[in-house]
Amino acid sequence: MANYRLTGTLRGTVRAEAWIVDGVIAYRPPQGRVINIRGFIYPGLLDAHTHPGLNRDGNLLPHQEVRRRLEALRSWGVTAVRDSGGQQNPGDDRSDGLPRIIHCGQHISRPRRYTRHLAVEVEPEDLVAQALNEYEKSDGWIKIVGDWIDREAGDNLPVWPRQALVEAVAAVHERGGKVTVHSFCTETIDDLLEARVDGIEHGTGMSAEHLQEAAHRGILITPTVHQIRRFPEFAHAGARFPKYVQRMLGMDARRREHLELMIESGVAMLMGTDTAENVTEVAMPHELIDAVEDGFSPKLAMANASYDGRRRLGFPTWEEGMPADFVVYGNDPEVGIRQTLTPASVFIDGIRFPGKN
């Protein structure tokens, strides 16, 4: 295995140089030949909301399709993934040189309250048992659908009674696990805070007070900017439900203002794309570009997608002896965020791969 010396601008550390020796991070030069790598170097990107193990027809994916998605993620500079809901654990198909994975089990929702085939559907009295079942299949996190369109009401509304959420989250916490919850609408958030969830996906309905409380508790928010830009598309698809259309278009109109509230609150954020089979075309660089266009500073976006986000989910960054997972850019993405579209090199387990494009 080749050894490398990393120099240039190393983000997320005060060190001026580091080495990759036998696939791990080192701070002393090895004996023998060393390949010099210079550039703007970050701990590999984390996509904290993607779905490499999700199949829209409900069946398990072929192993080669899971691998294709993981290789596509890697080409964009992503070296770690939180798989936020899928029928299978993509970690079962991981080998050296592919992104590390936190699997969240399968989405949990109620009947007819999520996209067909994607969720395990249970009634509130069975939520605790199903949450524990998904936890046993997971890598420590599970994913619950907190709100979705209620066709009888014609609007996006909470899926669960508050007490069901409280009991399910407490049961997972008792096992040492964590819970993140999909939420678009405001009405769900008080229930999530009462249940003491660990993460909120999208979070478009959170008020300034909700965000401040989440910041105080250390709840991780994944804003999925690229995905929430699709709200007009979702409204069009639900055109027969006027209340739903009004809600989705209203949130879209307030999108930039709301993201500014998130930033001002100081809430801990992760970056996530909400991608699945489309990961070759849409990936973390697009999420970062959209986030910066909608008000994030490039530095904040990159920190959340790299060293800060990784630390929040327990992935290594620059610790000596840990697997060497890095992304290298020829030009500074904090000067021009579109540089993330063309990583020069990606390292996973100290193995060097070419970046996308």
Side-chain angles (χ1 to χ4, degrees), residues 223 225-226 228-229 254-265 269 271 286-302 304 337:
V225 182
H226 187 83
I228 66 174
R229 282 182 162 208
R254 298 187 298 274
R255 185 184 70 246
R256 292 191 178 190
E257 177 185 353
H258 189 260
L259 289 170
E260 184 178 352
L261 285 177
M262 274 192 185
I263 295 166
E264 290 177 350
S265 74
M269 282 188 278
M271 305 305 285
H286 305 93
E287 175 70 13
L288 296 170
I289 290 166
D290 288 349
V292 169
E293 287 183 356
D294 280 358
F296 281 62
S297 70
K299 181 177 181 179
L300 176 63
M302 291 300 296
N304 287 336
I337 195 65

Side-chain angles (χ1 to χ4, degrees), residues 272-329:
T273 60
D274 210 349
T275 49
E277 70 278 6
N278 60 335
V279 72
T280 303
E281 295 79 32
V282 179
M284 184 51 62
H286 305 93
E287 175 70 13
L288 296 170
I289 290 166
D290 288 349
V292 169
E293 287 183 356
D294 280 358
F296 281 62
S297 70
K299 181 177 181 179
L300 176 63
M302 291 300 296
N304 287 336
S306 177
Y307 47 90
D308 281 347
R310 292 176 67 95
R311 289 171 183 142
R312 287 165 184 155
L313 285 188
F315 288 108
T317 56
W318 290 99
E319 295 82 6
E320 188 168 16
M322 298 304 291
D325 296 354
F326 297 106
V327 58
V328 183
Y329 302 102

Side-chain angles (χ1 to χ4, degrees), residues 142-153:
I142 71 161
K143 172 79 170 292
I144 295 175
V145 177
D147 50 62
W148 197 252
I149 189 166
D150 181 327
R151 290 168 177 80
E152 292 184 5

Side-chain angles (χ1 to χ4, degrees), residues 42-317:
Y42 292 78
L45 302 183
L46 162 69
D47 191 336
H49 188 134
T50 186
H51 302 280
L54 179 147
N55 194 351
R56 298 192 185 279
D57 68 9
N59 296 314
L60 296 183
L61 292 168
H63 296 295
Q64 60 267 31
E65 171 60 14
V66 176
R67 187 175 181 91
R68 182 194 71 83
R69 295 182 189 187
L70 295 175
E71 289 176 347
L73 285 159
R74 181 184 66 201
S75 73
W76 292 112
V78 173
T79 71
V81 162
R82 185 176 60 176
D83 170 39
S84 296
Q87 295 93 337
Q88 67 202 79
N89 185 347
D92 293 342
D93 292 294
R94 185 189 183 272
S95 58
D96 285 355
L98 290 176
R100 302 179 196 288
I101 297 160
I102 294 174
H103 178 51
C104 294
Q106 192 169 354
H107 299 79
I108 308 172
S109 193
R110 292 176 74 175
R112 302 187 71 232
R113 294 298 301 276
Y114 198 53
T115 304
R116 189 180 180 192
H117 299 309
L118 300 194
V120 178
E121 297 181 348
V122 298
E123 294 296 350
E125 59 269 23
D126 297 317
L127 180 58
V128 169
Q130 193 60 48
L132 292 176
N133 185 49
E134 297 307 317
Y135 171 71
E136 292 301 324
K137 296 187 292 184
S138 78
D139 297 312
W141 283 79
I142 71 161
K143 172 79 170 292
I144 295 175
V145 177
D147 50 62
W148 197 252
I149 189 166
D150 181 327
R151 290 168 177 80
E152 292 184 5
D155 198 1
N156 196 90
L157 294 172
V159 169
W160 308 100
R162 177 180 292 187
Q163 190 58 30
L165 281 172
V166 169
E167 292 173 3
V169 174
V172 173
H173 284 173
E174 187 175 348
R175 297 282 182 92
K178 295 186 177 182
V179 180
T180 195
V181 180
H182 161 103
S183 178
F184 286 157
C185 74
T186 301
E187 294 90 330
T188 309
I189 303 300
D190 283 338
D191 295 345
L192 303 187
L193 295 175
E194 181 69 21
R196 308 192 73 82
V197 300
D198 305 281
I200 297 174
E201 308 302 299
H202 317 296
T204 47
M206 299 180 77
S207 67
E209 291 75 18
H210 289 146
L211 289 164
Q212 290 162 8
E213 183 62 22
H216 175 71
R217 296 189 188 187
I219 296 171
L220 301 177
I221 309 298
T222 311
T224 62
V225 182
H226 187 83
Q227 182 75 344
I228 66 174
R229 282 182 162 208
R230 298 179 60 202
F231 279 6
E233 176 188 335
F234 299 165
H236 178 74
R240 67 185 184 276
F241 302 114
K243 291 180 182 178
Y244 174 80
V245 169
Q246 182 179 11
R247 181 189 292 271
M248 301 307 285
L249 293 180
M251 289 191 294
D252 181 65
R254 298 187 298 274
R255 185 184 70 246
R256 292 191 178 190
E257 177 185 353
H258 189 260
L259 289 170
E260 184 178 352
L261 285 177
M262 274 192 185
I263 295 166
E264 290 177 350
S265 74
V267 71
M269 282 188 278
L270 304 169
M271 305 305 285
T273 60
D274 210 349
T275 49
E277 70 278 6
N278 60 335
V279 72
T280 303
E281 295 79 32
V282 179
M284 184 51 62
H286 305 93
E287 175 70 13
L288 296 170
I289 290 166
D290 288 349
V292 169
E293 287 183 356
D294 280 358
F296 281 62
S297 70
K299 181 177 181 179
L300 176 63
M302 291 300 296
N304 287 336
S306 177
Y307 47 90
D308 281 347
R310 292 176 67 95
R311 289 171 183 142
R312 287 165 184 155
L313 285 188
F315 288 108
T317 56

